[in-house]
Amino acid sequence: FNREQASGMYRPISFFIGRTLAETPQHIVFTWIMGTIAYWMYGLQNDAEHYLRFMLIVVSMVMSASGLLIAFSAMAKNLEQSNLIATFFLLLFMLFDGNWISLEKVPVYWKWIAPLSCLGYASQAAIASEYRGLVFTCSDSEIEQGLCQDPSGITGEDILYNRGMQDVDIQFSIIMLWVLAIAYRIVAFFSFWLFFRNKSPKQIINATFSCK
């Protein structure tokens, strides 16, 4: 990139947008194939509405997560740094996405993570989509062994309430995944623009804005 950009073949934004447009179809197609296989393997609800909603959530998550990883790689000087940054933030997002800790029990000083986490929006939307409308009942043997607290069963809404996900808005979560996908890529572009050049960030800013 540095050699071709220095010779005037294209600007950084042209390279970045071209790379993004070239990779997007691959993300969508391969994610759809993987998601279709996984959906039936997991034994999720067997109807078209839930399947299509699940696929929309998964594709949205991949588009958002790929932007996040691009941003991490653009911020780092080498592969080791980018892996370290990505591992730290992905683990942080996973810990507070609602799977490990109920959303209502997340400490106040960690709640700033939720609006920035693509994993949180995707996980909560997928769980809410699957559990709403379900009723889990116990077999006769489970009732006899005392394994069921309520022989009449438990609803998916009860489970969502216990996880603090009763108010999850699936449509809003999907929209936020695409908002984050764009936001992550904007951060990635500016990081790429400043750091992946033959000049220092200060020289690039001065040249761009004609600063003396």
Side-chain angles (χ1 to χ4, degrees):
F1 163 78
N2 284 329
R3 182 181 65 253
E4 295 170 352
Q5 193 271 332
S7 64
M9 294 183 66
Y10 46 71
R11 297 175 64 84
I13 191 169
S14 303
F15 173 83
F16 190 84
I17 292 177
R19 181 73 178 267
T20 300
L21 293 177
E23 292 178 345
T24 297
Q26 300 178 47
H27 291 323
I28 295 175
V29 171
F30 290 116
T31 299
W32 198 281
I33 294 172
M34 179 277 297
T36 299
I37 296 172
Y39 188 87
W40 307 115
M41 287 180 64
Y42 295 156
L44 303 181
Q45 295 195 48
N46 188 16
D47 65 75
E49 179 182 356
H50 284 87
Y51 164 71
L52 292 175
R53 188 186 299 134
F54 174 82
M55 293 308 306
L56 179 58
I57 294 170
V58 173
V59 169
S60 302
M61 180 195 69
V62 169
M63 293 303 301
S64 183
S66 63
L68 179 64
L69 295 178
I70 293 171
F72 289 151
S73 64
M75 293 177 186
K77 294 182 179 180
N78 51 53
L79 181 62
E80 289 74 19
Q81 282 189 7
S82 64
N83 283 336
L84 184 62
I85 296 171
T87 300
F88 173 77
F89 279 97
L90 289 178
L91 287 175
L92 200 61
F93 289 167
M94 288 173 62
L95 285 174
F96 300 105
D97 65 4
N99 276 307
W100 308 96
I101 304 174
S102 173
L103 295 178
E104 295 177 346
K105 295 181 180 179
V106 174
V108 175
Y109 48 85
W110 288 116
K111 288 188 179 293
W112 60 270
I113 296 175
L116 305 176
S117 174
C118 57
L119 298 182
Y121 285 116
S123 177
Q124 294 162 31
I127 292 172
S129 174
E130 179 62 21
Y131 276 86
R132 284 175 182 164
L134 291 180
V135 178
F136 299 90
T137 56
C138 300
S139 65
D140 293 337
S141 61
E142 290 173 332
I143 295 175
E144 292 175 358
Q145 296 172 19
L147 299 178
C148 292
Q149 296 179 353
D150 186 354
S152 63
I154 183 173
T155 66
E157 284 75 9
D158 292 332
I159 296 175
L160 292 175
Y161 179 81
N162 291 333
R163 303 305 303 168
M165 298 185 187
Q166 68 276 10
D167 297 325
V168 171
D169 186 333
I170 298 174
Q171 182 178 358
F172 174 78
S173 296
I174 293 173
I175 292 173
M176 284 305 301
L177 285 172
W178 286 96
V179 170
L180 287 176
I182 296 172
Y184 291 152
R185 282 171 170 79
I186 291 174
V187 172
F189 168 70
F190 280 104
S191 300
F192 172 76
W193 177 63
L194 287 172
F195 301 132
F196 279 78
R197 307 283 289 281
N198 289 324
K199 299 179 181 179
S200 69
K202 184 177 180 180
Q203 290 174 321
I204 294 171
I205 293 173
N206 289 339
T208 302
F209 298 101
S210 299
C211 298
K212 296 183 180 180

